[in-house]
Amino acid sequence: MSKERIKELEEEIEELSIQLSDMLCVALHLSGIKESSMQEALDAYIEGLDEQSLEYGVQEILQNIENLKQTHPQFFVK
């Protein structure tokens, strides 16, 4: 694979990473996260991910948000 193609793929991965992060922010916002707590909530969400899980779909994301509500209620609008 050429260096140029590798660079293109790296850029695509970076763009997709940014889009994924933005989508997670939207999901957290819709779940009731305070705007002022968004970065802390993102960090806690990522820390709470099950590294052993091979599956990562809608149900897993919803469960991770529910876990965040239980472990960090201060991030959420009351």
Side-chain angles (χ1 to χ4, degrees):
M1 192 176 298
S2 71
K3 288 182 182 182
E4 186 176 298
R5 181 65 180 141
I6 291 171
K7 183 170 174 56
E8 286 174 11
L9 291 173
E10 287 173 344
E11 289 173 0
E12 284 181 42
I13 289 170
E14 184 175 343
E15 288 175 24
L16 289 171
S17 227
I18 292 168
Q19 290 177 7
L20 182 58
S21 178
D22 289 345
M23 291 174 71
L24 180 55
C25 286
V26 169
L28 291 173
H29 174 75
L30 293 174
S31 72
I33 293 284
K34 296 180 225 173
E35 193 65 36
S36 61
S37 298
M38 184 60 71
Q39 186 59 53
E40 286 179 286
L42 276 170
D43 294 342
Y45 179 93
I46 291 168
E47 286 174 19
L49 293 177
D50 181 1
E51 294 179 8
Q52 301 301 318
S53 178
L54 296 177
E55 292 185 35
Y56 193 70
V58 172
Q59 292 306 314
E60 291 80 10
I61 293 168
L62 292 172
Q63 185 59 54
N64 288 334
I65 291 173
E66 285 303 315
N67 292 343
L68 194 61
K69 286 182 180 182
Q70 298 296 319
T71 59
H72 296 84
Q74 72 275 17
F75 295 155
F76 293 83
V77 176
K78 299 185 189 237

PDB file of all heavy atoms in Angstrom, residues 20-33:
ATOM      1  N   LEU A  20     -18.113  10.143  15.104  1.00  0.00           N
ATOM      2  CA  LEU A  20     -18.578   9.249  16.151  1.00  0.00           C
ATOM      3  C   LEU A  20     -18.651   9.971  17.492  1.00  0.00           C
ATOM      4  O   LEU A  20     -19.618   9.837  18.238  1.00  0.00           O
ATOM      5  CB  LEU A  20     -17.666   8.030  16.244  1.00  0.00           C
ATOM      6  CG  LEU A  20     -18.048   6.977  17.255  1.00  0.00           C
ATOM      7  CD1 LEU A  20     -19.447   6.440  16.983  1.00  0.00           C
ATOM      8  CD2 LEU A  20     -17.046   5.843  17.225  1.00  0.00           C
ATOM      9  N   SER A  21     -17.637  10.765  17.779  1.00  0.00           N
ATOM     10  CA  SER A  21     -17.633  11.545  19.011  1.00  0.00           C
ATOM     11  C   SER A  21     -18.803  12.526  19.038  1.00  0.00           C
ATOM     12  O   SER A  21     -19.482  12.680  20.062  1.00  0.00           O
ATOM     13  CB  SER A  21     -16.310  12.292  19.139  1.00  0.00           C
ATOM     14  OG  SER A  21     -16.302  13.090  20.286  1.00  0.00           O
ATOM     15  N   ASP A  22     -19.050  13.186  17.918  1.00  0.00           N
ATOM     16  CA  ASP A  22     -20.181  14.115  17.828  1.00  0.00           C
ATOM     17  C   ASP A  22     -21.506  13.391  18.048  1.00  0.00           C
ATOM     18  O   ASP A  22     -22.390  13.886  18.758  1.00  0.00           O
ATOM     19  CB  ASP A  22     -20.203  14.824  16.477  1.00  0.00           C
ATOM     20  CG  ASP A  22     -19.081  15.836  16.316  1.00  0.00           C
ATOM     21  OD1 ASP A  22     -18.446  16.211  17.333  1.00  0.00           O
ATOM     22  OD2 ASP A  22     -18.838  16.265  15.172  1.00  0.00           O
ATOM     23  N   MET A  23     -21.644  12.213  17.474  1.00  0.00           N
ATOM     24  CA  MET A  23     -22.883  11.450  17.633  1.00  0.00           C
ATOM     25  C   MET A  23     -23.065  11.014  19.081  1.00  0.00           C
ATOM     26  O   MET A  23     -24.184  11.020  19.607  1.00  0.00           O
ATOM     27  CB  MET A  23     -22.891  10.257  16.684  1.00  0.00           C
ATOM     28  CG  MET A  23     -23.011  10.681  15.225  1.00  0.00           C
ATOM     29  SD  MET A  23     -22.862   9.316  14.066  1.00  0.00           S
ATOM     30  CE  MET A  23     -24.386   8.467  14.337  1.00  0.00           C
ATOM     31  N   LEU A  24     -21.978  10.649  19.752  1.00  0.00           N
ATOM     32  CA  LEU A  24     -22.062  10.290  21.160  1.00  0.00           C
ATOM     33  C   LEU A  24     -22.479  11.501  21.992  1.00  0.00           C
ATOM     34  O   LEU A  24     -23.306  11.376  22.903  1.00  0.00           O
ATOM     35  CB  LEU A  24     -20.729   9.724  21.649  1.00  0.00           C
ATOM     36  CG  LEU A  24     -20.674   9.308  23.109  1.00  0.00           C
ATOM     37  CD1 LEU A  24     -21.777   8.320  23.469  1.00  0.00           C
ATOM     38  CD2 LEU A  24     -19.305   8.732  23.438  1.00  0.00           C
ATOM     39  N   CYS A  25     -21.957  12.669  21.668  1.00  0.00           N
ATOM     40  CA  CYS A  25     -22.370  13.897  22.366  1.00  0.00           C
ATOM     41  C   CYS A  25     -23.867  14.147  22.196  1.00  0.00           C
ATOM     42  O   CYS A  25     -24.547  14.523  23.148  1.00  0.00           O
ATOM     43  CB  CYS A  25     -21.576  15.099  21.869  1.00  0.00           C
ATOM     44  SG  CYS A  25     -19.880  15.148  22.447  1.00  0.00           S
ATOM     45  N   VAL A  26     -24.376  13.921  21.002  1.00  0.00           N
ATOM     46  CA  VAL A  26     -25.815  14.087  20.753  1.00  0.00           C
ATOM     47  C   VAL A  26     -26.608  13.103  21.601  1.00  0.00           C
ATOM     48  O   VAL A  26     -27.597  13.468  22.247  1.00  0.00           O
ATOM     49  CB  VAL A  26     -26.145  13.917  19.250  1.00  0.00           C
ATOM     50  CG1 VAL A  26     -27.637  13.820  19.036  1.00  0.00           C
ATOM     51  CG2 VAL A  26     -25.556  15.067  18.449  1.00  0.00           C
ATOM     52  N   ALA A  27     -26.174  11.834  21.632  1.00  0.00           N
ATOM     53  CA  ALA A  27     -26.872  10.817  22.421  1.00  0.00           C
ATOM     54  C   ALA A  27     -26.858  11.198  23.904  1.00  0.00           C
ATOM     55  O   ALA A  27     -27.881  11.079  24.589  1.00  0.00           O
ATOM     56  CB  ALA A  27     -26.241   9.446  22.215  1.00  0.00           C
ATOM     57  N   LEU A  28     -25.724  11.657  24.392  1.00  0.00           N
ATOM     58  CA  LEU A  28     -25.636  12.054  25.795  1.00  0.00           C
ATOM     59  C   LEU A  28     -26.504  13.279  26.073  1.00  0.00           C
ATOM     60  O   LEU A  28     -27.189  13.352  27.098  1.00  0.00           O
ATOM     61  CB  LEU A  28     -24.180  12.313  26.185  1.00  0.00           C
ATOM     62  CG  LEU A  28     -23.283  11.076  26.234  1.00  0.00           C
ATOM     63  CD1 LEU A  28     -21.830  11.487  26.476  1.00  0.00           C
ATOM     64  CD2 LEU A  28     -23.751  10.080  27.277  1.00  0.00           C
ATOM     65  N   HIS A  29     -26.503  14.228  25.159  1.00  0.00           N
ATOM     66  CA  HIS A  29     -27.347  15.418  25.313  1.00  0.00           C
ATOM     67  C   HIS A  29     -28.823  15.020  25.391  1.00  0.00           C
ATOM     68  O   HIS A  29     -29.560  15.488  26.263  1.00  0.00           O
ATOM     69  CB  HIS A  29     -27.103  16.383  24.154  1.00  0.00           C
ATOM     70  CG  HIS A  29     -28.028  17.557  24.144  1.00  0.00           C
ATOM     71  ND1 HIS A  29     -27.889  18.614  25.014  1.00  0.00           N
ATOM     72  CD2 HIS A  29     -29.118  17.817  23.386  1.00  0.00           C
ATOM     73  CE1 HIS A  29     -28.861  19.482  24.784  1.00  0.00           C
ATOM     74  NE2 HIS A  29     -29.613  19.022  23.796  1.00  0.00           N
ATOM     75  N   LEU A  30     -29.243  14.148  24.487  1.00  0.00           N
ATOM     76  CA  LEU A  30     -30.634  13.715  24.471  1.00  0.00           C
ATOM     77  C   LEU A  30     -31.004  12.891  25.703  1.00  0.00           C
ATOM     78  O   LEU A  30     -32.172  12.816  26.080  1.00  0.00           O
ATOM     79  CB  LEU A  30     -30.941  12.923  23.194  1.00  0.00           C
ATOM     80  CG  LEU A  30     -30.895  13.738  21.898  1.00  0.00           C
ATOM     81  CD1 LEU A  30     -31.066  12.828  20.692  1.00  0.00           C
ATOM     82  CD2 LEU A  30     -31.966  14.830  21.906  1.00  0.00           C
ATOM     83  N   SER A  31     -30.009  12.296  26.341  1.00  0.00           N
ATOM     84  CA  SER A  31     -30.277  11.517  27.551  1.00  0.00           C
ATOM     85  C   SER A  31     -30.367  12.405  28.786  1.00  0.00           C
ATOM     86  O   SER A  31     -30.703  11.934  29.863  1.00  0.00           O
ATOM     87  CB  SER A  31     -29.208  10.442  27.744  1.00  0.00           C
ATOM     88  OG  SER A  31     -27.984  11.022  28.131  1.00  0.00           O
ATOM     89  N   GLY A  32     -30.048  13.696  28.630  1.00  0.00           N
ATOM     90  CA  GLY A  32     -30.221  14.631  29.734  1.00  0.00           C
ATOM     91  C   GLY A  32     -28.943  15.147  30.356  1.00  0.00           C
ATOM     92  O   GLY A  32     -28.970  15.751  31.424  1.00  0.00           O
ATOM     93  N   ILE A  33     -27.820  14.944  29.713  1.00  0.00           N
ATOM     94  CA  ILE A  33     -26.554  15.463  30.237  1.00  0.00           C
ATOM     95  C   ILE A  33     -26.573  16.992  30.177  1.00  0.00           C
ATOM     96  O   ILE A  33     -26.962  17.573  29.169  1.00  0.00           O
ATOM     97  CB  ILE A  33     -25.358  14.934  29.407  1.00  0.00           C
ATOM     98  CG1 ILE A  33     -25.180  13.429  29.575  1.00  0.00           C
ATOM     99  CG2 ILE A  33     -24.066  15.672  29.747  1.00  0.00           C
ATOM    100  CD1 ILE A  33     -24.574  12.994  30.867  1.00  0.00           C
TER     101      ILE A  33
END
